[in-house]
Short mmCIF file of all heavy atoms in Angstrom, two decimals:
data_model
loop_
_atom_site.label_atom_id
_atom_site.label_comp_id
_atom_site.label_asym_id
_atom_site.label_seq_id
_atom_site.Cartn_x
_atom_site.Cartn_y
_atom_site.Cartn_z
N TYR A 50 74.61 107.83 141.47
CA TYR A 50 73.81 107.37 140.33
C TYR A 50 74.16 108.28 139.09
O TYR A 50 74.30 107.61 138.02
CB TYR A 50 72.30 107.59 140.72
CG TYR A 50 71.36 107.45 139.50
CD1 TYR A 50 71.09 106.15 139.00
CD2 TYR A 50 70.85 108.50 138.78
CE1 TYR A 50 70.21 105.93 137.94
CE2 TYR A 50 70.01 108.29 137.76
CZ TYR A 50 69.72 106.96 137.33
OH TYR A 50 68.88 106.84 136.23
N PHE A 51 74.30 109.49 139.23
CA PHE A 51 74.73 110.38 138.16
C PHE A 51 75.99 109.96 137.57
O PHE A 51 76.22 109.92 136.26
CB PHE A 51 74.70 111.77 138.57
CG PHE A 51 74.83 112.83 137.39
CD1 PHE A 51 73.67 113.48 136.89
CD2 PHE A 51 76.09 113.19 136.99
CE1 PHE A 51 73.73 114.27 135.69
CE2 PHE A 51 76.14 114.08 135.93
CZ PHE A 51 74.92 114.67 135.29
N TYR A 52 76.98 109.68 138.38
CA TYR A 52 78.41 109.18 137.91
C TYR A 52 78.20 107.97 137.15
O TYR A 52 78.90 107.77 136.11
CB TYR A 52 79.30 108.96 139.21
CG TYR A 52 79.68 110.12 139.89
CD1 TYR A 52 80.25 110.03 141.18
CD2 TYR A 52 79.71 111.47 139.51
CE1 TYR A 52 80.72 111.12 141.96
CE2 TYR A 52 80.16 112.46 140.09
CZ TYR A 52 80.67 112.40 141.44
OH TYR A 52 81.05 113.43 142.14
N GLY A 53 77.50 107.15 137.55
CA GLY A 53 77.25 105.68 136.99
C GLY A 53 76.55 105.83 135.58
O GLY A 53 76.96 105.20 134.62
N LYS A 54 75.66 106.80 135.57
CA LYS A 54 74.89 106.89 134.23
C LYS A 54 75.71 107.92 133.11
O LYS A 54 75.64 107.52 131.96
CB LYS A 54 73.52 107.47 134.59
CG LYS A 54 72.68 107.50 133.37
CD LYS A 54 71.24 107.58 133.82
CE LYS A 54 70.25 107.59 132.64
NZ LYS A 54 69.85 106.28 132.24
N PHE A 55 76.24 109.02 133.66
CA PHE A 55 76.86 109.91 132.72
C PHE A 55 78.40 110.05 132.87
O PHE A 55 79.07 110.59 131.97
CB PHE A 55 76.22 111.21 132.97
CG PHE A 55 74.75 111.27 132.72
CD1 PHE A 55 73.98 111.44 133.73
CD2 PHE A 55 74.27 111.16 131.48
CE1 PHE A 55 72.52 111.42 133.62
CE2 PHE A 55 72.83 111.12 131.23
CZ PHE A 55 71.95 111.24 132.30
N GLY A 56 79.01 109.71 134.07
CA GLY A 56 80.32 109.80 134.27
C GLY A 56 80.73 111.04 135.02
O GLY A 56 79.94 112.06 135.15
N ARG A 57 81.87 111.11 135.61
CA ARG A 57 82.39 112.16 136.39
C ARG A 57 82.70 113.43 135.64
O ARG A 57 82.52 114.55 136.16
CB ARG A 57 83.46 111.73 137.38
CG ARG A 57 82.94 110.75 138.47
CD ARG A 57 84.05 110.48 139.39
NE ARG A 57 84.93 109.73 138.80
CZ ARG A 57 86.09 109.34 139.34
NH1 ARG A 57 86.31 109.62 140.60
NH2 ARG A 57 87.08 108.52 138.69
N LYS A 58 83.31 113.31 134.48
CA LYS A 58 83.61 114.39 133.71
C LYS A 58 82.42 115.20 133.32
O LYS A 58 82.38 116.41 133.34
CB LYS A 58 84.41 114.00 132.40
CG LYS A 58 85.87 113.53 132.72
CD LYS A 58 86.48 113.19 131.42
CE LYS A 58 87.85 112.64 131.69
NZ LYS A 58 88.56 112.11 130.50
N THR A 59 81.31 114.51 132.85
CA THR A 59 80.05 115.11 132.56
C THR A 59 79.45 115.83 133.86
O THR A 59 78.89 116.83 133.70
CB THR A 59 79.10 114.00 132.01
OG1 THR A 59 79.60 113.44 130.94
CG2 THR A 59 77.77 114.66 131.61
N ALA A 60 79.55 115.16 134.97
CA ALA A 60 79.14 115.71 136.26
C ALA A 60 79.74 117.08 136.53
O ALA A 60 79.17 118.05 136.86
CB ALA A 60 79.27 114.71 137.48
N LEU A 61 81.20 117.01 136.39
CA LEU A 61 81.88 118.26 136.63
C LEU A 61 81.44 119.37 135.58
O LEU A 61 81.28 120.49 135.92
CB LEU A 61 83.39 118.03 136.49
CG LEU A 61 84.22 119.18 136.81
CD1 LEU A 61 84.13 119.69 138.23
CD2 LEU A 61 85.78 118.82 136.65
N SER A 62 81.28 119.05 134.37
CA SER A 62 80.96 120.01 133.31
C SER A 62 79.53 120.46 133.52
O SER A 62 79.34 121.73 133.46
CB SER A 62 81.06 119.31 131.96
OG SER A 62 82.37 118.91 131.71
N THR A 63 78.72 119.62 133.81
CA THR A 63 77.28 120.04 134.11
C THR A 63 77.21 120.90 135.36
O THR A 63 76.46 121.98 135.39
CB THR A 63 76.28 118.77 134.31
OG1 THR A 63 76.45 117.97 133.20
CG2 THR A 63 74.99 119.10 134.56
N GLY A 64 77.90 120.51 136.39
CA GLY A 64 77.85 121.34 137.64
C GLY A 64 78.45 122.82 137.32
O GLY A 64 77.95 123.76 137.87
N THR A 65 79.51 122.81 136.56
CA THR A 65 80.10 124.13 136.26
C THR A 65 79.16 124.95 135.41
O THR A 65 78.98 126.17 135.61
CB THR A 65 81.45 123.94 135.45
OG1 THR A 65 82.34 123.12 136.31
CG2 THR A 65 82.14 125.19 135.16
N ILE A 66 78.56 124.37 134.44
CA ILE A 66 77.56 125.12 133.58
C ILE A 66 76.42 125.66 134.48
O ILE A 66 75.99 126.84 134.32
CB ILE A 66 77.11 124.20 132.31
CG1 ILE A 66 78.29 124.03 131.41
CG2 ILE A 66 75.87 124.94 131.71
CD1 ILE A 66 77.86 122.92 130.39
N ILE A 67 75.79 124.82 135.30
CA ILE A 67 74.72 125.25 136.18
C ILE A 67 75.27 126.43 137.01
O ILE A 67 74.46 127.43 137.29
CB ILE A 67 74.17 124.12 136.93
CG1 ILE A 67 73.47 123.00 136.05
CG2 ILE A 67 73.30 124.52 138.03
CD1 ILE A 67 73.21 121.78 136.75
N CYS A 68 76.40 126.28 137.60
CA CYS A 68 76.90 127.16 138.51
C CYS A 68 77.14 128.55 137.78
O CYS A 68 76.73 129.64 138.29
CB CYS A 68 78.30 126.86 139.03
SG CYS A 68 79.02 127.93 140.27
N VAL A 69 77.62 128.50 136.57
CA VAL A 69 77.90 129.85 135.78
C VAL A 69 76.60 130.51 135.51
O VAL A 69 76.52 131.72 135.61
CB VAL A 69 78.80 129.56 134.53
CG1 VAL A 69 78.78 130.72 133.66
CG2 VAL A 69 80.24 129.20 134.93
N ILE A 70 75.61 129.61 135.10
CA ILE A 70 74.27 130.27 134.80
C ILE A 70 73.61 130.81 136.04
O ILE A 70 73.09 131.96 136.03
CB ILE A 70 73.48 129.19 134.07
CG1 ILE A 70 73.98 128.87 132.63
CG2 ILE A 70 71.95 129.62 133.99
CD1 ILE A 70 73.26 127.76 132.00
N ALA A 71 73.58 130.11 137.09
CA ALA A 71 73.02 130.43 138.35
C ALA A 71 73.63 131.71 139.00
O ALA A 71 72.96 132.72 139.27
CB ALA A 71 73.03 129.39 139.40
N LEU A 72 75.02 131.72 139.10
CA LEU A 72 75.64 132.87 139.56
C LEU A 72 75.68 134.13 138.58
O LEU A 72 75.62 135.19 139.02
CB LEU A 72 77.10 132.54 139.99
CG LEU A 72 77.20 131.47 141.12
CD1 LEU A 72 78.63 131.12 141.40
CD2 LEU A 72 76.44 131.82 142.26
N GLY A 73 75.66 133.73 137.35
CA GLY A 73 75.55 134.77 136.33
C GLY A 73 74.17 135.62 136.40
O GLY A 73 74.13 136.85 136.22
N SER A 74 73.21 134.81 136.67
CA SER A 74 71.78 135.34 136.71
C SER A 74 71.69 136.21 138.02
O SER A 74 71.00 137.12 137.94
CB SER A 74 70.75 134.40 136.61
OG SER A 74 70.93 133.34 137.71
N MET A 75 72.53 135.89 138.96
CA MET A 75 72.49 136.70 140.23
C MET A 75 72.94 138.10 139.94
O MET A 75 72.66 139.01 140.66
CB MET A 75 73.23 136.03 141.42
CG MET A 75 72.62 134.81 141.99
SD MET A 75 73.60 133.92 143.16
CE MET A 75 73.87 135.19 144.35
N LEU A 76 73.85 138.21 139.07
CA LEU A 76 74.44 139.49 138.73
C LEU A 76 73.28 140.45 138.23
O LEU A 76 73.36 141.73 138.22
CB LEU A 76 75.47 139.51 137.62
CG LEU A 76 76.74 138.88 138.13
CD1 LEU A 76 77.71 138.63 136.95
CD2 LEU A 76 77.38 139.73 139.14
N LEU A 77 72.19 139.91 137.68
CA LEU A 77 71.09 140.63 137.03
C LEU A 77 70.07 141.02 138.04
O LEU A 77 69.14 141.79 137.66
CB LEU A 77 70.60 139.78 135.85
CG LEU A 77 71.49 139.45 134.78
CD1 LEU A 77 70.76 138.60 133.82
CD2 LEU A 77 72.27 140.66 134.08
N LEU A 78 70.09 140.50 139.20
CA LEU A 78 68.95 140.70 140.26
C LEU A 78 69.12 142.08 140.74
O LEU A 78 70.13 142.67 140.94
CB LEU A 78 69.12 139.68 141.25
CG LEU A 78 68.85 138.21 140.98
CD1 LEU A 78 69.01 137.29 142.12
CD2 LEU A 78 67.46 138.00 140.27
N THR A 79 67.85 142.65 140.99
CA THR A 79 67.77 143.86 141.68
C THR A 79 66.82 143.73 142.89
O THR A 79 66.37 142.60 143.18
CB THR A 79 67.10 144.99 140.75
OG1 THR A 79 65.87 144.53 140.32
CG2 THR A 79 68.05 145.16 139.45
N GLN A 80 66.58 144.85 143.58
CA GLN A 80 65.66 144.69 144.72
C GLN A 80 64.28 144.32 144.38
O GLN A 80 63.69 143.51 145.08
CB GLN A 80 65.59 146.12 145.50
CG GLN A 80 66.79 146.45 146.25
CD GLN A 80 66.65 147.86 146.90
OE1 GLN A 80 65.85 148.72 146.37
NE2 GLN A 80 67.34 148.02 148.08
N SER A 81 63.80 144.71 143.21
CA SER A 81 62.50 144.37 142.80
C SER A 81 62.37 142.95 142.31
O SER A 81 61.33 142.36 142.30
CB SER A 81 62.06 145.34 141.76
OG SER A 81 62.86 145.38 140.67
N SER A 82 63.51 142.37 141.89
CA SER A 82 63.51 140.99 141.44
C SER A 82 64.20 140.07 142.28
O SER A 82 64.58 138.93 141.95
CB SER A 82 64.16 140.91 140.05
OG SER A 82 65.50 141.29 140.06
N GLY A 83 64.21 140.47 143.59
CA GLY A 83 64.97 139.66 144.59
C GLY A 83 64.28 138.29 144.85
O GLY A 83 64.93 137.37 145.18
N TRP A 84 63.06 138.21 144.58
CA TRP A 84 62.29 137.01 144.85
C TRP A 84 62.84 135.84 143.91
O TRP A 84 62.66 134.64 144.20
CB TRP A 84 60.77 137.17 144.49
CG TRP A 84 60.46 137.64 143.12
CD1 TRP A 84 60.49 138.95 142.68
CD2 TRP A 84 60.27 136.80 141.99
NE1 TRP A 84 60.07 138.91 141.30
CE2 TRP A 84 60.05 137.65 140.86
CE3 TRP A 84 60.22 135.45 141.72
CZ2 TRP A 84 59.79 137.19 139.57
CZ3 TRP A 84 59.89 134.98 140.50
CH2 TRP A 84 59.75 135.99 139.43
N VAL A 85 63.47 136.24 142.85
CA VAL A 85 64.06 135.14 141.88
C VAL A 85 65.09 134.37 142.57
O VAL A 85 65.42 133.21 142.19
CB VAL A 85 64.52 135.86 140.60
CG1 VAL A 85 65.05 134.85 139.68
CG2 VAL A 85 63.37 136.59 139.98
N MET A 86 65.70 134.87 143.61
CA MET A 86 66.70 134.22 144.36
C MET A 86 66.16 132.92 144.87
O MET A 86 66.99 132.00 145.00
CB MET A 86 67.18 135.10 145.51
CG MET A 86 68.48 134.67 146.18
SD MET A 86 69.84 134.62 145.01
CE MET A 86 70.81 133.34 145.67
N TYR A 87 64.89 132.77 145.21
CA TYR A 87 64.39 131.49 145.60
C TYR A 87 64.41 130.47 144.53
O TYR A 87 64.41 129.28 144.76
CB TYR A 87 62.97 131.73 146.24
CG TYR A 87 62.93 132.53 147.36
CD1 TYR A 87 62.35 133.87 147.29
CD2 TYR A 87 63.36 132.22 148.58
CE1 TYR A 87 62.33 134.67 148.45
CE2 TYR A 87 63.24 133.01 149.71
CZ TYR A 87 62.73 134.26 149.57
OH TYR A 87 62.76 135.04 150.75
N ILE A 88 64.44 130.86 143.28
CA ILE A 88 64.49 129.95 142.16
C ILE A 88 65.86 129.65 141.90
O ILE A 88 66.14 128.56 141.56
CB ILE A 88 63.73 130.74 140.97
CG1 ILE A 88 62.20 130.91 141.25
CG2 ILE A 88 63.92 129.76 139.68
CD1 ILE A 88 61.60 131.82 140.16
N ILE A 89 66.79 130.48 142.03
CA ILE A 89 68.16 130.32 141.70
C ILE A 89 68.84 129.48 142.78
O ILE A 89 69.82 128.59 142.54
CB ILE A 89 68.93 131.76 141.63
CG1 ILE A 89 68.35 132.49 140.45
CG2 ILE A 89 70.42 131.59 141.43
CD1 ILE A 89 68.83 133.83 140.27
N ALA A 90 68.53 129.58 144.07
CA ALA A 90 69.08 128.90 145.19
C ALA A 90 69.17 127.45 145.05
O ALA A 90 70.32 126.80 145.35
CB ALA A 90 68.39 129.29 146.46
N PRO A 91 68.26 126.64 144.50
CA PRO A 91 68.34 125.29 144.33
C PRO A 91 69.46 124.89 143.43
O PRO A 91 70.27 123.90 143.53
CB PRO A 91 66.96 124.78 143.94
CG PRO A 91 66.07 125.77 144.28
CD PRO A 91 66.82 127.09 144.33
N PHE A 92 69.55 125.72 142.32
CA PHE A 92 70.52 125.38 141.39
C PHE A 92 72.01 125.71 141.80
O PHE A 92 72.88 124.99 141.42
CB PHE A 92 70.30 126.32 139.97
CG PHE A 92 69.00 125.81 139.35
CD1 PHE A 92 67.85 126.59 139.44
CD2 PHE A 92 68.88 124.73 138.58
CE1 PHE A 92 66.71 126.23 138.83
CE2 PHE A 92 67.71 124.27 137.99
CZ PHE A 92 66.64 125.15 138.18
N VAL A 93 72.04 126.59 142.64
CA VAL A 93 73.33 126.89 143.32
C VAL A 93 73.79 125.70 144.27
O VAL A 93 74.87 125.27 144.21
CB VAL A 93 73.37 128.18 144.17
CG1 VAL A 93 74.62 128.43 144.95
CG2 VAL A 93 73.20 129.49 143.30
N GLY A 94 72.84 125.24 145.02
CA GLY A 94 73.08 124.03 145.78
C GLY A 94 73.57 122.79 145.04
O GLY A 94 74.45 122.12 145.27
N ILE A 95 72.76 122.58 143.83
CA ILE A 95 73.06 121.48 143.00
C ILE A 95 74.42 121.55 142.35
O ILE A 95 75.21 120.66 142.42
CB ILE A 95 71.94 121.31 141.91
CG1 ILE A 95 70.63 120.93 142.54
CG2 ILE A 95 72.34 120.27 140.78
CD1 ILE A 95 69.47 121.06 141.52
N SER A 96 74.74 122.74 141.78
CA SER A 96 76.05 122.96 141.27
C SER A 96 77.22 122.91 142.21
O SER A 96 78.28 122.37 141.86
CB SER A 96 76.10 124.16 140.44
OG SER A 96 75.92 125.34 141.30
N GLN A 97 77.06 123.49 143.44
CA GLN A 97 78.07 123.30 144.38
C GLN A 97 78.54 121.96 144.69
O GLN A 97 79.61 121.60 144.74
CB GLN A 97 77.65 124.12 145.68
CG GLN A 97 77.86 125.60 145.63
CD GLN A 97 77.49 126.09 147.06
OE1 GLN A 97 76.73 125.66 147.78
NE2 GLN A 97 77.95 127.39 147.14
N THR A 98 77.40 121.15 144.84
CA THR A 98 77.74 119.74 145.29
C THR A 98 78.46 118.97 144.13
O THR A 98 79.34 118.23 144.30
CB THR A 98 76.38 119.02 145.71
OG1 THR A 98 75.88 119.71 146.80
CG2 THR A 98 76.71 117.60 146.04
N MET A 99 77.93 119.18 142.89
CA MET A 99 78.50 118.57 141.71
C MET A 99 79.91 118.84 141.56
O MET A 99 80.74 118.03 141.24
CB MET A 99 77.61 118.87 140.53
CG MET A 99 76.23 118.15 140.53
SD MET A 99 75.31 118.57 139.08
CE MET A 99 75.81 117.30 137.88
N VAL A 100 80.18 120.14 141.54
CA VAL A 100 81.57 120.64 141.35
C VAL A 100 82.47 120.14 142.45
O VAL A 100 83.62 119.53 142.15
CB VAL A 100 81.62 122.15 141.04
CG1 VAL A 100 82.96 122.64 141.00
CG2 VAL A 100 80.85 122.51 139.81
N LEU A 101 82.17 120.44 143.70
CA LEU A 101 83.00 120.12 144.77
C LEU A 101 83.33 118.61 144.99
O LEU A 101 84.39 118.17 145.05
CB LEU A 101 82.42 120.76 146.12
CG LEU A 101 83.32 120.58 147.29
CD1 LEU A 101 84.69 121.27 147.13
CD2 LEU A 101 82.65 121.07 148.55
N SER A 102 82.19 117.83 144.99
CA SER A 102 82.35 116.42 145.17
C SER A 102 83.15 115.75 143.96
O SER A 102 83.87 114.93 144.21
CB SER A 102 81.04 115.73 145.29
OG SER A 102 80.27 116.17 146.42
N THR A 103 82.84 116.16 142.77
CA THR A 103 83.57 115.61 141.62
C THR A 103 85.00 115.98 141.74
O THR A 103 85.81 115.16 141.32
CB THR A 103 82.85 116.12 140.40
OG1 THR A 103 81.40 115.72 140.35
CG2 THR A 103 83.44 115.28 139.17
N GLY A 104 85.34 117.25 142.01
CA GLY A 104 86.66 117.75 142.15
C GLY A 104 87.52 116.89 143.15
O GLY A 104 88.66 116.54 142.91
N ILE A 105 86.91 116.65 144.20
CA ILE A 105 87.55 115.81 145.36
C ILE A 105 87.77 114.44 144.88
O ILE A 105 88.78 113.77 145.15
CB ILE A 105 86.79 115.97 146.63
CG1 ILE A 105 86.94 117.27 147.20
CG2 ILE A 105 87.31 114.93 147.62
CD1 ILE A 105 86.08 117.59 148.43
N ASN A 106 86.67 113.85 144.12
CA ASN A 106 86.93 112.52 143.48
C ASN A 106 88.02 112.48 142.58
O ASN A 106 88.82 111.44 142.59
CB ASN A 106 85.57 112.09 142.66
CG ASN A 106 84.56 111.55 143.69
OD1 ASN A 106 84.88 110.68 144.60
ND2 ASN A 106 83.41 111.84 143.47
N PHE A 107 88.25 113.53 141.73
CA PHE A 107 89.40 113.62 140.80
C PHE A 107 90.74 113.63 141.54
O PHE A 107 91.63 112.95 141.10
CB PHE A 107 89.27 114.69 139.81
CG PHE A 107 88.27 114.51 138.68
CD1 PHE A 107 87.37 115.43 138.29
CD2 PHE A 107 88.16 113.12 138.08
CE1 PHE A 107 86.43 115.29 137.26
CE2 PHE A 107 87.28 113.05 137.06
CZ PHE A 107 86.38 114.07 136.61
N ILE A 108 90.72 114.36 142.66
CA ILE A 108 92.00 114.34 143.41
C ILE A 108 92.28 113.07 144.06
O ILE A 108 93.36 112.57 144.02
CB ILE A 108 91.85 115.45 144.61
CG1 ILE A 108 91.80 116.82 143.95
CG2 ILE A 108 92.93 115.31 145.50
CD1 ILE A 108 91.53 117.84 144.94
N SER A 109 91.22 112.27 144.37
CA SER A 109 91.41 110.87 144.95
C SER A 109 91.99 110.02 143.77
O SER A 109 92.84 109.16 144.17
CB SER A 109 90.02 110.38 145.52
OG SER A 109 89.56 111.12 146.55
N ASP A 110 91.58 110.21 142.66
CA ASP A 110 92.08 109.42 141.58
C ASP A 110 93.63 109.64 141.25
O ASP A 110 94.24 108.77 140.92
CB ASP A 110 91.37 109.67 140.17
CG ASP A 110 89.94 109.08 140.13
OD1 ASP A 110 89.65 108.26 140.97
OD2 ASP A 110 89.13 109.51 139.28
N VAL A 111 93.94 110.92 141.38
CA VAL A 111 95.26 111.28 141.26
C VAL A 111 96.22 110.63 142.32
O VAL A 111 97.30 110.11 142.08
CB VAL A 111 95.55 112.76 141.26
CG1 VAL A 111 97.02 113.22 141.23
CG2 VAL A 111 94.80 113.49 140.02
#
Side-chain angles (χ1 to χ4, degrees):
Y50 172 77
F51 192 91
Y52 290 159
K54 189 156 179 93
F55 300 106
R57 287 186 294 179
K58 289 181 183 176
T59 305
L61 184 64
S62 300
T63 304
T65 303
I66 291 168
I67 294 170
C68 184
V69 167
I70 292 170
L72 297 180
S74 62
M75 285 176 62
L76 290 172
L77 305 174
L78 295 181
T79 61
Q80 284 181 333
S81 60
S82 64
W84 60 271
V85 177
M86 192 62 209
Y87 295 110
I88 298 169
I89 295 171
F92 294 105
V93 171
I95 290 167
S96 67
Q97 278 184 338
T98 298
M99 290 178 84
V100 171
L101 185 63
S102 296
T103 307
I105 291 173
N106 274 321
F107 283 140
I108 292 173
S109 295
D110 286 349
V111 169

